[in-house]
Amino acid sequence: MASYLVTGGCGFIGSHLCVALLAGGHDVLVLDDLSTGHPDNLAPGAALMVGDIADCHVLHEAMAGVDGCFHLAAIASVERGVRDWTGTHRTNLSGTVAVFEAARRESEARGVSVPVVYASSAAVYGDPASLPAAETTPARPLSAYGADKLGCELHARAGGAVHGLHSVGLRFFNVFGPRQDPRSPYSGVVSIFCGRLARGEPLDIHGDGEQTRDFVHVADVVAALVAALRRAAPDAPVFNVCTGRATSVRDLAMLLGDAWGLTPTLRFGTPRAGEIRHSVGSRTDTAVQLGLADTMPLDRGLIDLSDWF
Ligand code: NAD
């Protein structure tokens, strides 16, 4: 059994990952500044260190003696990057470089490889010329958030070339599932819709609702994170984490209504400036390389969510 550091382990995806790692008999240390995460999300049996990933001293202490690191801490919002460009950059790129640096120092000190599995994002693609977006599709981010995530991938590659750092990046598409905070204005559309539907409120749609997304269940994301660990290497591979299925936001609202046996009221507003129109990923390489099973259908995941809201 192994011991892992999970940054952002009190957040949505990180908390699910910790449960899976602990169920596998591993030791888990969470490093989280609790800025958007909650102590209530801490998986029973995990240890918590409250601190900032951009603080090298904290990271050095957190990385000591671990067998690997899952790096999920970030300010996970395109909109926050618009409002606070330098602040989000500090966490999302400088913080990630600090994680890579701590893993490389720990690897060198112990003479072993301490691999890092880190969260990238579909935001690196921007508005791709062709869909579905595959890992070979040119990355042309249109947001500070996407640019920082692409920067993480470039630093991972540099870290491998210069220091022999072992890493693997996962480009998550639109993740949904239990524990995604519906109260946050920066949360995913699925959790916001669920929260509003549960309260009997109308579902707000920006624009005509025909914009599409690739909604992937958090259980499939956790399976990809765990499987990716053994693919960490100095050439810093990256994989999409998606379903390959595009769903419009309008269809999402109707599917949710069907799943919960309710009739949602849709309220259409002005389109969001700069919003990506269509996003769907290719899963071919990920499924083969990481040996993953089929992903959960969206309607099934939405039914399960009714227990949580
Ligand atoms: P989340 O906000 O629920 O979790 C992020 C966690 O990181 C929180 O617990 C937060 O407190 C912590 N954190 C933030 N800044 C920190 C700092 N400076 N130091 C220490 N901890 C810090 O977000 P999530 O949805 O679980 O996202 C996890 C990762 O996946 C992020 O890297 C995000 O960019 C990426 N991602 C998420 C999605 C999605 O749809 N949720 C899509 C693409 C990529």
Side-chain angles (χ1 to χ4, degrees):
M1 292 302 112
S3 135
Y4 295 112
L5 171 64
V6 179
T7 73
C10 287
F12 163 47
I13 299 170
S15 62
H16 287 275
L17 172 67
C18 290
V19 169
L21 292 173
L22 289 158
H26 304 298
D27 290 332
V28 173
L29 170 64
V30 166
L31 174 61
D32 199 301
D33 71 354
L34 304 178
S35 52
T36 58
H38 300 280
D40 293 351
N41 284 345
L42 186 71
L48 173 63
M49 184 184 284
V50 177
D52 180 0
I53 54 159
D55 181 332
C56 296
H57 300 293
V58 168
L59 262 180
H60 184 70
E61 196 184 328
M63 199 70 78
V66 301
D67 298 300
C69 171
F70 292 89
H71 171 47
L72 296 165
I75 301 177
S77 160
V78 170
E79 287 79 20
R80 278 282 301 278
V82 174
R83 284 201 299 109
D84 180 13
W85 193 350
T86 50
T88 54
H89 174 75
R90 178 181 176 278
T91 293
N92 292 351
L93 185 52
S94 300
T96 300
V97 174
V99 169
F100 291 157
E101 171 76 337
R104 138 14 225 177
R105 283 180 186 276
E106 185 67 13
S107 301
E108 285 177 4
R110 296 196 347 241
V112 296
S113 144
V114 177
V116 180
V117 182
Y118 66 94
S120 183
S121 167
V124 301
Y125 292 116
D127 224 343
S130 63
L131 291 172
E135 290 82 351
T136 48
T137 302
R140 282 193 291 239
L142 291 172
S143 61
Y145 174 74
D148 281 338
K149 289 294 190 184
L150 183 58
C152 296
E153 296 182 6
L154 297 174
H155 276 277
R157 204 176 312 154
V162 177
H163 303 293
L165 175 74
H166 284 53
S167 74
V168 53
L170 297 179
R171 293 174 174 174
F172 301 159
F173 280 63
N174 285 65
V175 187
F176 75 101
R179 289 204 284 276
Q180 194 169 25
D181 188 354
R183 291 159 301 183
S184 164
Y186 306 116
S187 195
V189 61
V190 175
S191 70
I192 291 175
F193 277 6
C194 287
R196 294 190 70 88
L197 191 63
R199 294 191 299 270
E201 294 169 1
L203 309 187
D204 288 319
I205 292 180
H206 302 281
D208 61 6
E210 295 306 322
Q211 61 271 49
T212 54
R213 295 292 181 267
D214 187 328
F215 296 104
V216 58
H217 194 270
V218 69
D220 293 313
V221 175
V222 168
L225 281 160
V226 172
L229 186 67
R230 64 186 159 74
R231 297 307 311 270
D235 63 348
V238 291
F239 297 103
N240 284 344
V241 178
C242 58
T243 66
R245 298 182 291 269
T247 304
S248 73
V249 171
R250 182 199 285 263
D251 284 349
L252 169 70
M254 302 321 289
L255 277 171
L256 181 61
D258 288 347
W260 289 18
L262 297 170
T263 305
T265 303
L266 307 189
R267 192 163 62 184
F268 293 88
T270 50
R272 255 202 289 238
E275 189 182 40
I276 305 289
R277 184 71 176 160
H278 297 294
S279 171
V280 62
S282 163
R283 189 172 178 267
T284 312
D285 205 37
T286 313
V288 172
Q289 302 277 350
L290 302 186
L292 297 173
D294 289 346
T295 51
M296 188 186 296
L298 178 56
D299 53 356
R300 160 80 202 289
L302 293 176
I303 290 171
D304 291 353
L305 267 182
S306 62
D307 294 338
W308 195 72
F309 279 89

